[in-house]
Amino acid sequence: MSGQPALIATCAQGLEPVLEAELRALGFPRIRPLRAAVLFGATIQDGYRALLWSRIASRILFEVARFPCADRDELYDGVRTIDWSDHLGPRSTLAIQFVGVSRTLRHSGFAARVVKDAIVDQFRDKHGQRPSVDLDDPDLRIHVHLAAGKATVAIDLAGPPLHQRGLQREAGPAPLKENVAAAILALAGWPAAAREGRPLCDPMCGSGTILTEAAMVARDVAPGLHRTRWGHDRWRGHDATAWKGLLEEARQRKEAGRTVEVGLYGGDVDPDVLPFAVRNLARAGFADVVGQLVCRDARTAQAPEPIPGLLVTNPPYGARMHDEARADELLRDFGDTLRHRFLGWTAWILVGRPRQARALGLRPSARHPIRNGRLDARLLEVSIADTPPRGGPRGRESHQNSERS
Ligand SMILES: C[S@@+](CC[C@H](N)C(=O)[O-])C[C@H]1O[C@@H](n2cnc3c(N)ncnc32)[C@H](O)[C@@H]1O
């Protein structure tokens, strides 16, 4: 065994720099980016604070051991050396997640069984009883990561992944994960823009994930505050006093942020999907934003306020919902709408294919790679000139008229 215990925040690949910046802004010490993860913090309280306040992390892992591991025997011995009675009891249930391979440990299912055997053998030898496996709702989730000949064993403090905000959201056919939406908002500089009173508009908002996350940021609502299940609930090392204190602080901050004015605007052309956004925002406590949602074609959208703001949106890629040609045509017309009606705004548009980026017809000042589920997407950052181009938007008359929801 070696090294000081550490906390590991995991994330979608590509989001490491955004997560790193978020953890720095939260004030954690000892931050170091890894692949699809960021090392941070020093204490279990740091882990709890990240659970409640990281909008971008997928999981928070609390490292309990790290050891050289070349094969099955080293894995078994290393796991068995940990005193598991610090973490669970002989009648507890557990689930193992094993990530990584070595020359001789090529199958994660096999490696996970070796880890489980080492733990249950320790209990059987000491107590004559052993924990059992429960993959759905275990008392403890144990995460083992094998890379470069080293195994890292950690307690998964999150339990259900952190993008689940505990709000039972209703999702349309292609929803963004909440933590991906939060990462996009962080890249777009929404926290500062919200403080400056600038508006944010998502004219293809679907079930309203971007708007809900934006409201949470603006009103200082901890992303974990509504969750009721955590990985540490039945962990023997859980510090209930520290956790309660952090929850209470998060409740007070939410209360203090309740009256913050926030200019959020959204729309969607699909009358069946827009009610999801309305209900999701209401469920999250942002019913006052709901009056600003409109059922309309994004190509007829207007800047909702005279102050230039951020337009953040995730149009159909063409892969799952529209066919590609229709998705490209939509972006071509939408690019026109932006040039003529969103003067001085900054647009952040998540596209799934390079052709979509070209179809927009606006030169992005940056392209950020973002993994969205199984898609390698790109977030385009586009500064829209504050003077209109000559001529009106193409094909405007052919689009349906605005209509309030
Ligand atoms: C990828 S989904 C957005 C998902 C959303 N970010 C969420 O998390 O639910 C794209 C959305 O664009 C909407 N859409 C497609 N064409 C549109 C148009 N011309 N105007 C406005 N919305 C449109 C679809 O109805 C769909 O809800």
Side-chain angles (χ1 to χ4, degrees):
M1 305 286 152
S2 69
Q4 206 180 349
L7 289 145
I8 302 148
T10 67
C11 63
Q13 248 178 49
L15 293 186
E16 298 90 340
V18 202
L19 175 59
E20 181 186 347
E22 182 191 52
L23 295 172
R24 277 190 205 289
L26 287 169
F28 293 117
R30 295 174 63 208
I31 292 177
R32 186 156 61 85
L34 307 168
R35 192 178 151 85
V38 177
L39 212 64
F40 74 101
T43 63
I44 190 63
Q45 285 81 1
D46 288 341
Y48 285 178
R49 206 150 58 78
L51 279 180
L52 263 184
W53 285 98
S54 173
R55 301 179 193 278
I56 297 165
S58 303
R59 295 186 176 280
I60 304 294
L61 308 173
F62 181 63
E63 183 185 310
V64 292
R66 199 181 325 158
F67 50 85
C69 173
D71 55 26
R72 183 222 167 267
D73 290 349
E74 284 189 354
L75 180 62
Y76 182 92
D77 292 344
V79 172
R80 221 185 139 146
T81 317
I82 300 162
D83 184 353
W84 286 101
S85 61
D86 287 345
H87 304 291
L88 72 170
R91 290 170 183 275
S92 301
T93 55
L94 55 81
I96 316 286
Q97 190 189 13
F98 195 97
V99 179
V101 284
S102 74
R103 212 165 43 81
T104 57
L105 288 166
R106 287 198 218 119
H107 300 288
S108 56
F110 169 75
R113 269 200 306 282
V114 173
V115 173
K116 184 263 298 170
D117 287 347
I119 298 171
V120 303
D121 289 353
Q122 184 184 88
F123 276 99
R124 201 171 15 223
D125 290 356
K126 270 197 201 165
H127 304 277
Q129 278 179 329
R130 49 153 283 185
S132 51
V133 172
D134 178 347
L135 297 180
D136 297 327
D137 184 25
D139 295 328
L140 195 69
R141 284 182 196 276
I142 297 156
H143 185 100
V144 184
H145 184 246
L146 178 63
K150 274 200 175 149
T152 305
V153 181
I155 305 301
D156 175 358
L157 298 177
L162 294 176
H163 74 84
Q164 295 176 12
R165 306 297 201 213
L167 288 165
Q168 295 184 330
R169 78 161 170 177
E170 293 171 78
L176 262 189
K177 273 192 180 166
E178 291 82 342
N179 53 351
V180 174
I184 291 172
L185 289 165
L187 281 165
W190 170 240
R195 280 194 298 275
E196 290 161 11
R198 293 170 64 200
L200 182 141
C201 173
D202 178 357
M204 295 179 245
C205 71
S207 53
T209 316
I210 291 172
L211 296 172
T212 309
E213 290 296 313
M216 283 187 161
V217 170
R219 297 223 168 128
D220 203 21
V221 178
L225 190 58
H226 300 286
R227 284 170 51 109
T228 51
R229 286 175 58 214
W230 296 96
H232 58 55
D233 285 337
R234 288 166 276 165
W235 172 43
R236 280 193 169 177
H238 179 44
D239 182 344
T241 312
W243 180 244
K244 266 195 196 151
L246 286 165
L247 277 178
E248 186 47 38
E249 185 212 355
R251 281 192 201 105
Q252 285 172 12
R253 282 175 62 171
K254 179 184 172 190
E255 194 49 34
R258 224 162 43 86
T259 51
V260 169
E261 287 291 326
V262 49
L264 293 178
Y265 301 86
D268 201 285
V269 76
D270 185 341
D272 294 330
V273 166
L274 200 64
F276 294 168
V278 172
R279 289 196 290 268
N280 286 338
L281 279 156
R283 219 175 272 127
F286 307 121
D288 54 322
V289 173
V290 167
Q292 298 163 356
L293 296 184
V294 181
C295 186
R296 77 166 164 217
D297 192 312
R299 292 169 284 195
T300 66
Q302 307 270 1
E305 289 187 16
I307 315 165
L310 303 179
L311 184 140
V312 184
T313 199
N314 163 215
Y317 294 147
R320 286 179 289 185
M321 299 173 57
H322 280 216
D323 59 70
E324 291 192 5
R326 276 175 65 202
D328 292 351
E329 189 189 307
L330 167 61
L331 276 202
R332 184 180 62 88
D333 293 345
F334 185 58
D336 242 20
T337 303
L338 293 179
R339 263 196 299 272
H340 286 88
R341 310 224 188 98
F342 283 82
L343 306 182
W345 281 57
T346 309
W348 297 79
I349 303 174
L350 190 68
V351 296
R353 291 171 291 108
R355 239 194 28 219
Q356 266 193 305
R358 286 196 294 277
L360 191 64
L362 287 160
R363 190 188 298 278
S365 51
R367 290 179 167 83
H368 305 269
I370 289 198
R371 185 111 187 122
N372 181 23
R374 271 181 269 142
L375 264 168
D376 279 322
R378 290 280 178 281
L379 180 66
L380 309 178
E381 174 182 353
V382 182
S383 300
I384 298 153
D386 51 14
T387 50
R390 273 175 294 170
R394 283 172 294 187
R396 196 178 353 165
E397 290 71 23
S398 64
H399 303 140
Q400 68 191 71
N401 288 329
S402 304
E403 175 196 321
R404 305 254 346 151
S405 62

